Amino acid sequence: MIFHPAIIALSAGSLLVSLMLLYSAFHGIRILRNWDMGSGSESQLQLERRTYLISTLVACALGFQLLSLFLFIHTVDCMSGLFVGAMCAAGSLKVNPFGYPAIVLRVINSILAGQWLMINHADNKAFDYPLIRKKYGMLLVIMPLIVAETAIQGAYFMGLKPEVITSCCGVLFSADSEGWASGMAALPPVPVAIAFYGFMAATISAGILFYTRGVGPYLFAGLNLCAATACVIALICLISPYFYESPTHHCPFCILQGEYRYVGYAFYLTLLAGAAAGLGVGTLTPFQGVESLKRIIPELQRTLALVSILSYSGFVVVAVSGILFSNLRLTGY
Amino acid sequence: MIEIKNIRKVFNAGKTNEFAAIDGVSLQVDSDRITVFKGPSGSGKTTLLSILGCMVRPTSGRIEVNGREITSLPEQFLAEIRRSGFGFIFQQYNLIRGMTALENVMIPSYPTGERRSSLKKRAVELLDLFNVSHKAGSRVEELSGGEAQRVTIARALMNNPRFVIADEPTAHLDTKLSREFMDIMLGLKTEGKTILIASHDPVVCDSIAVDRLVGMRDGRITTVDDRR
Amino acid sequence: MTFIQKQRNILDVALCSLLRRKGKNLSLVVAYVFVIFLLSSVMFITDALKREASFVLKDTPEMVVQRLVAGRHELVPTAYAKVIGKIKGVQSVSARLWGYYYDATNGANYTLIVHQDLITSPGSIMVGRGVARHLSAGENGTIPFKACDGSYLFLEIRSVLPSESELVSADLVLMSELDFRRLFQMPEGYATDLVLRVRNVRELSTIAAKVVQLLPDTRPVSRDEILRTYDAVFSWRSGLVIVIFAGALCAFLILAWDKATGLSAEEKREIGLLKAVGWETSDVLLMKFWEGMAVSLVSFLTGIILAYLHIFFTSASLFEPALKGWSVLYPDFRLTPFIDGQHAATLFFLTVVPYTAATIVPSWRTATMDPDSVMRS
């Protein structure tokens, strides 16, 4: 284990988030068991008040989660100097088998927590807590994931031993080697470009259609998922080389470094916001029929759709401007 | 109009010191009237006022405000009903020290997210109505009893509520100021507000402005005196 | 728009409420600032030292070859250089002469290095600023060096080294090979160590292996290895210090919890009033959130600025006794100011996050106060 201040901070933060979630889940179970909307008793009132505590805890936990996601990437990036052969986060994460699961779980948990907060927001607007059971059920699903994330991250940090020889991003994301990552990097740029721009255009159009007419929420959410995947692939095999101005450098982490003006943060923030908000439109659709939510959900969905459209547009703008102003040309490559 | 049916409010339920502050009260409060609840301390009039003002949920019974059933609403909706439908005047004034009179008047409207300038305009108008606009910028500690009372009334009217609820409003006022207070209430009644007052002050109870006097004791209504 | 306006209104009440209870909040802020100051000072100084070290090492050769005898660093025969020079991939090999000199009269340690520029001018030296300052000698002054046979060698200062990185060059004395050998009576044909430049950095490990194979009594040390070691050692140190300060952090959190829980009667009355006049639980929570943010932000910025001044402008005066010790020539080193987002984020997670978490439950308790409590009082 490396005794780095940022590692201590991240571990402490994750531990805290896990504890907050455990506490919330504990009270969530009590709410699931004893909830009785019709009762005006003291205990029911206490439960209703608990819901505020849980909302606050989960909202704070999500905030911490998002911030720590970026601190995590940044720290891992900085530590690359400690490992032979690692030049950026891609290498540091490969130091032991827990690196990549930790970051993937972090992203999934952030998105899930975002979905929970959206449902919670809708539920709090209705006068009869229509989604109370569903949302606390969902909390019980998220909680173990967060705890698992803390554990895996802990295992990753504990297993960090300097001087471990790892493969750097050049090997991991180079077209010549084998494995999922390089498989992605080796994809031909033109079809990827078509897929990327195509899914983006389709998602944004579906979003606009949903925003203006309120039709096709599932179509939008589905396309949104495809677009998010396309974004990740495009980032690796299409967009990042333009920022590095090197046709063989495909790493999705190096763009987070100062050399490239931290443009990676713009990509990941817009991608995360776009995906979470777009997915939220789909998540909320099944509850449209609930009587007390009939007016609340469509309004919330429209806001989410707008956030998603704007975020994805931001992503495309940053990507396209990067490609246009780069000295690299991938055509014919 | 507020209608309550068979309301009970039990404190410390299930414990040895359990007691019912309100024990089976049914009542209809008509619009554009001044209703006064009279009774000794501990008779349950303050609790009844908080139930009528949507501050607490009764242990059992039903409440309808303007025909809407509110008994089982979550707290946040009660808060909203309270904010938009009720103005409160408390015995202790309960102005927030360290803030100016103007800010105190504006406080009930803060969560609505209304623009600051329009809030200010409305608050100044209200202070003006009660002749305390010259004190708008003063901290509330610097106000006299009568001024504080009028700032409290202005605060109660900030969100233009249908109902005004006053709990022992004249407890700290001399006779002259108490009469003045009842005159203001009468003025509000003619503007179409429904006023509920809990008091055992004769100046209030015997005022000609009062339409209905409800006597209370031990959590029950003992007398109802309709004066018109 | 209404959303922003609402936040503004509530923030207004929150700030007002904080200012009304200056005494209580000030003590909290002071403790908060102190904790942040301590933690960020540690992080600033270790990071600055780390950068300073990598700055020094930037121009060093990729690999140094030392000779070991009985596990100890020994003089290396210059003939080894020819052997190593024949290894494929080695660009150049050169022998270095350097060592330490203890000046008994002044009680200071100097680092002596033989420099190529002085090869033709024995008798003259170049010194670092620390040495010059310590001996209050400028250009053209002379410094007496006591050789190991007891005789004195008077060397003239040709120039004082620029103070680009004083931490490194402060105690330096550059001299000619002749003077160096005279001073320490070091035999010809031997050097302190050998330095290599290689064509391709990626082949370093292969070259190192070959060096050990050809000359089994040597130890090659690569620059990356030194850098990594420095990095690990400094990070480890600051991590350790942070763990030690965890006690202070816990004490602060308990204080924060206590302050947030122990509401005065007046505060309770105020919250009750807000709830009575139509503030919702979440509005009060929002107000508490803004209060916490204001306290955190003020403390965070103050703490970081104080730590920054402490480390970079007063040269870590509070840590001085702990940091110094191996040479008295260090008193005036100035670290290069440096701060980045990672510092801020790490500090945020070590202080603001636990603070926020510690105040959630008390804030919630406050916010769920019965709205009719004002009526009952």
Side-chain angles (χ1 to χ4, degrees):
Chain A
M1 163 138 191
I2 297 173
F3 233 18
H4 194 287
I7 289 184
I8 297 174
L10 279 168
S11 310
S14 286
L15 216 58
L16 215 55
V17 167
S18 289
L19 285 179
M20 282 157 80
L21 259 292
L22 271 172
Y23 186 83
S24 309
F26 170 69
H27 287 291
I29 292 174
R30 281 183 34 184
I31 289 175
L32 282 175
R33 281 219 183 132
N34 304 321
W35 191 260
D36 177 14
M37 201 53 235
S39 157
S41 68
E42 275 302 292
S43 63
Q44 170 66 16
L45 190 66
Q46 287 307 321
L47 286 182
E48 278 176 40
R49 291 186 174 174
R50 285 266 164 215
T51 63
Y52 283 100
L53 179 61
I54 296 175
S55 306
T56 313
L57 282 170
V58 178
C60 278
L62 176 73
F64 298 160
Q65 186 79 12
L66 274 179
L67 278 173
S68 68
L69 174 64
F70 287 98
L71 180 63
F72 180 79
I73 297 176
H74 189 85
T75 306
V76 166
D77 209 36
C78 280
M79 282 192 313
S80 54
L82 295 175
F83 310 107
V84 179
M87 281 165 173
C88 69
S92 307
L93 286 173
K94 268 222 125 180
V95 170
N96 65 43
F98 298 108
Y100 276 98
I103 196 167
V104 169
L105 211 54
R106 268 184 167 282
V107 173
I108 291 175
N109 285 344
S110 300
I111 292 178
L112 276 180
Q115 304 302 307
W116 191 87
L117 285 175
M118 287 167 204
I119 294 179
N120 183 46
H121 182 77
D123 187 45
N124 283 345
K125 291 235 157 169
F127 59 85
D128 58 351
Y129 294 99
L131 306 178
I132 193 107
R133 284 181 195 282
K134 292 193 182 70
K135 79 180 179 192
Y136 286 108
M138 186 175 165
L139 194 62
L140 293 183
V141 177
I142 296 179
M143 188 271 291
L145 285 173
I146 297 260
V147 173
E149 174 201 306
T150 305
I152 290 178
Q153 181 186 291
Y156 169 64
F157 285 147
M158 293 298 253
L160 284 183
K161 291 194 184 64
E163 286 176 303
V164 173
I165 294 189
T166 74
S167 45
C168 98
C169 60
V171 184
L172 203 58
F173 292 97
S174 83
D176 300 331
S177 54
E178 283 170 23
W180 61 269
S182 41
M184 238 187 252
L187 291 171
V190 175
V192 170
I194 293 170
F196 170 62
Y197 291 120
F199 274 122
M200 275 308 203
T203 308
I204 293 175
S205 333
I208 291 171
L209 197 68
F210 178 77
Y211 184 73
T212 50
R213 304 241 184 95
V215 291
Y218 285 123
L219 177 72
F220 173 57
L223 278 171
N224 171 75
L225 271 185
C226 299
T229 319
C231 278
V232 173
I233 295 173
L235 206 54
I236 292 173
C237 79
L238 185 75
I239 302 167
S240 56
Y242 282 102
F243 284 92
Y244 304 130
E245 310 204 325
S246 144
T248 50
H249 196 177
H250 289 288
C251 180
F253 295 110
C254 287
I255 40 172
L256 291 164
Q257 291 174 350
E259 283 172 72
Y260 309 108
R261 277 168 280 152
Y262 302 108
V263 68
Y265 288 98
F267 278 129
Y268 291 120
L269 272 179
T270 50
L271 180 56
L272 212 57
L279 202 62
V281 173
T283 310
L284 290 173
T285 309
F287 311 124
Q288 268 177 342
V290 178
E291 189 57 41
S292 53
L293 291 171
K294 277 214 162 106
R295 290 172 65 193
I296 296 155
I297 284 203
E299 197 186 324
L300 182 59
Q301 281 178 315
R302 268 167 54 94
T303 315
L304 289 174
L306 189 65
V307 169
S308 182
I309 295 168
L310 290 179
S311 301
Y312 278 131
S313 310
F315 187 97
V316 174
V317 167
V318 177
V320 168
S321 55
I323 291 173
L324 287 182
F325 293 116
S326 170
N327 294 320
L328 179 78
R329 290 285 165 268
L330 271 188
T331 35
Y333 167 71
Chain B
M1 191 184 85
I2 309 176
E3 193 174 3
I4 55 176
K5 286 176 198 151
N6 207 12
I7 290 292
R8 260 175 72 84
K9 178 69 187 174
V10 180
F11 286 108
N12 305 320
K15 294 180 191 152
T16 48
N17 55 350
E18 172 179 319
F19 77 100
I22 301 287
D23 200 0
V25 168
S26 301
L27 185 72
Q28 190 171 323
V29 179
D30 296 325
S31 301
D32 314 337
R33 293 274 189 278
I34 297 186
T35 307
V36 172
F37 296 91
K38 187 188 176 184
S41 56
S43 60
K45 56 186 194 304
T46 299
T47 309
L48 186 60
L49 226 47
S50 2
I51 289 175
L52 286 166
C54 303
M55 280 189 186
V56 268
R57 276 195 278 186
T59 311
S60 63
R62 289 169 66 82
I63 313 171
E64 278 177 22
V65 176
N66 292 330
R68 186 177 177 196
E69 217 284 303
I70 60 153
T71 328
S72 62
L73 281 184
E75 271 196 334
Q76 50 170 328
F77 292 90
L78 291 181
E80 205 201 306
I81 291 172
R82 229 165 31 235
R83 184 169 64 222
S84 56
F86 291 87
F88 295 92
I89 299 164
F90 306 101
Q91 185 180 359
Q92 315 279 357
Y93 309 142
N94 281 318
L95 294 168
I96 296 183
R97 283 148 55 83
M99 289 179 128
T100 63
L102 185 72
E103 283 171 318
N104 264 287
V105 174
M106 282 156 64
I107 271 188
S109 299
Y110 276 167
T112 59
E114 196 179 325
R115 283 171 60 91
R116 211 38 179 272
S117 50
S118 73
L119 284 183
K120 212 169 213 164
K121 189 163 156 270
R122 199 138 43 91
V124 170
E125 277 169 13
L126 281 167
L127 287 172
D128 210 26
L129 190 67
F130 299 114
N131 298 321
V132 274
S133 53
H134 58 287
K135 291 281 186 180
S138 327
R139 290 170 174 245
V140 290
E141 306 79 300
E142 298 157 11
L143 301 180
S144 71
E147 284 165 345
Q149 174 74 282
R150 279 176 282 163
V151 171
T152 314
I153 301 172
R155 182 181 63 193
L157 298 175
M158 184 61 191
N159 286 330
N160 194 22
R162 287 287 309 274
F163 302 94
V164 174
I165 288 183
D167 184 31
E168 302 281 4
T170 58
H172 301 289
L173 299 179
D174 59 25
T175 314
K176 182 172 164 282
L177 286 173
S178 301
R179 293 228 164 87
E180 234 171 66
F181 173 80
M182 286 316 289
D183 291 341
I184 292 172
M185 290 301 119
L186 186 59
L188 291 178
K189 184 179 81 169
T190 47
E191 277 171 36
K193 310 246 182 256
T194 307
I195 294 161
L196 299 161
I197 305 175
S199 180
H200 53 251
D201 183 354
V203 178
V204 174
C205 300
D206 303 339
S207 166
I208 48 145
V210 176
D211 299 298
R212 186 189 236 190
L213 191 67
V214 179
M216 290 192 70
R217 185 170 279 272
D218 301 329
R220 293 169 195 272
I221 293 177
T222 47
T223 55
V224 177
D225 173 14
D226 275 307
R227 295 192 177 165
R228 63 195 65 173
Chain C
M1 236 14 248
T2 44
F3 176 76
I4 294 168
Q5 191 62 49
K6 177 175 172 179
Q7 307 292 319
R8 245 193 72 190
N9 290 342
I10 288 177
L11 177 62
D12 216 54
V13 180
L15 290 181
C16 194
S17 139
L18 280 179
L19 289 177
R20 243 174 296 139
R21 280 171 276 277
K22 278 192 207 82
K24 173 182 168 178
N25 292 311
L26 201 67
S27 59
L28 182 69
V29 168
V30 167
Y32 208 157
V33 167
F34 180 69
V35 166
I36 291 177
F37 169 77
L38 276 184
L39 292 179
S40 56
S41 287
V42 172
M43 283 172 56
F44 278 143
I45 195 159
T46 44
D47 247 52
L49 288 173
K50 208 152 64 175
R51 280 171 59 86
E52 211 80 8
S54 64
F55 180 69
V56 175
L57 289 167
K58 196 178 68 194
D59 296 325
T60 58
E62 285 103 6
M63 192 187 285
V64 173
V65 177
Q66 302 168 335
R67 177 164 165 248
L68 294 183
V69 170
R72 308 220 4 130
H73 189 182
E74 258 292 324
L75 295 181
V76 55
T78 37
Y80 279 16
K82 289 204 184 69
V83 182
I84 294 170
K86 283 182 187 142
I87 295 174
K88 227 171 102 185
V90 177
Q91 208 165 21
S92 67
V93 191
S94 52
R96 281 199 310 192
L97 279 169
W98 60 275
Y100 302 113
Y101 173 82
Y102 180 66
D103 182 355
T105 40
N106 291 300
N109 256 316
Y110 307 148
T111 304
L112 307 187
I113 297 179
V114 168
H115 199 264
Q116 294 302 318
D117 292 357
L118 295 164
I119 205 150
T120 53
S121 50
S124 31
I125 49 174
M126 295 196 272
V127 297
R129 281 202 182 267
V131 180
R133 199 185 309 117
H134 199 62
L135 300 174
S136 44
E139 275 177 35
N140 303 324
T142 47
I143 304 178
F145 285 91
K146 193 179 181 185
C148 50
D149 61 355
S151 66
Y152 279 91
L153 207 62
F154 291 89
L155 301 176
E156 190 191 320
I157 300 175
R158 203 168 78 177
S159 62
V160 176
L161 295 167
S163 58
E164 202 185 7
S165 173
E166 199 169 339
L167 182 62
V168 190
S169 63
D171 68 335
L172 266 191
V173 176
L174 302 183
M175 53 173 50
S176 71
E177 186 178 342
L178 197 69
D179 292 329
F180 189 84
R181 290 198 192 276
R182 269 227 300 264
L183 197 58
F184 297 110
Q185 299 205 327
M186 196 181 269
E188 285 287 333
Y190 283 90
T192 316
D193 51 27
L194 303 173
V195 294
L196 320 188
R197 296 235 171 239
V198 297
R199 285 204 187 84
N200 186 350
V201 191
R202 286 176 184 229
E203 285 169 23
L204 264 179
S205 49
T206 331
I207 291 171
K210 278 190 187 152
V211 169
V212 180
Q213 195 189 356
L214 291 171
L215 306 161
D217 60 342
T218 57
R219 175 173 68 181
V221 181
S222 76
R223 180 179 59 192
D224 288 355
E225 227 166 330
I226 302 176
L227 267 177
R228 259 204 303 280
T229 312
Y230 267 118
D231 215 45
V233 167
F234 281 126
S235 300
W236 187 80
R237 277 192 184 173
S238 71
L240 196 70
V241 176
I242 283 171
V243 169
I244 292 168
F245 282 150
L249 189 68
C250 285
F252 162 70
L253 291 178
I254 291 169
L255 177 78
W257 170 283
D258 190 57
K259 293 260 174 196
T261 317
L263 287 183
S264 67
E266 189 178 344
E267 270 175 279
K268 279 190 184 153
R269 209 173 53 87
E270 282 175 17
I271 303 288
L273 170 86
L274 292 176
K275 293 207 70 179
V277 299
W279 281 44
E280 217 207 285
T281 304
S282 56
D283 297 328
V284 182
L285 275 174
L286 198 62
M287 181 178 106
K288 286 279 155 197
F289 166 77
W290 283 119
E291 273 182 26
M293 283 308 278
V295 167
S296 292
L297 205 68
V298 167
S299 314
F300 197 67
L301 289 179
T302 317
I304 284 200
I305 290 170
L306 284 180
Y308 192 87
L309 294 176
H310 169 224
I311 299 300
F312 299 117
F313 289 92
T314 70
S315 305
S317 46
L318 292 179
F319 294 167
E320 214 168 45
L323 283 170
K324 279 199 316 190
W326 112 67
S327 170
V328 287
L329 287 182
Y330 281 93
D332 204 34
F333 78 91
R334 280 277 168 90
L335 295 163
T336 329
F338 170 72
I339 182 169
D340 73 355
Q342 196 192 12
H343 280 141
T346 304
L347 272 175
F348 183 87
F349 268 91
L350 287 173
T351 54
V352 178
V353 167
Y355 171 77
T356 312
T359 50
I360 287 177
V361 175
S363 302
W364 166 77
R365 267 189 224 289
T366 314
T368 49
M369 202 187 291
D370 288 320
D372 65 326
S373 59
V374 227
M375 300 279 274
R376 278 185 275 154
S377 66

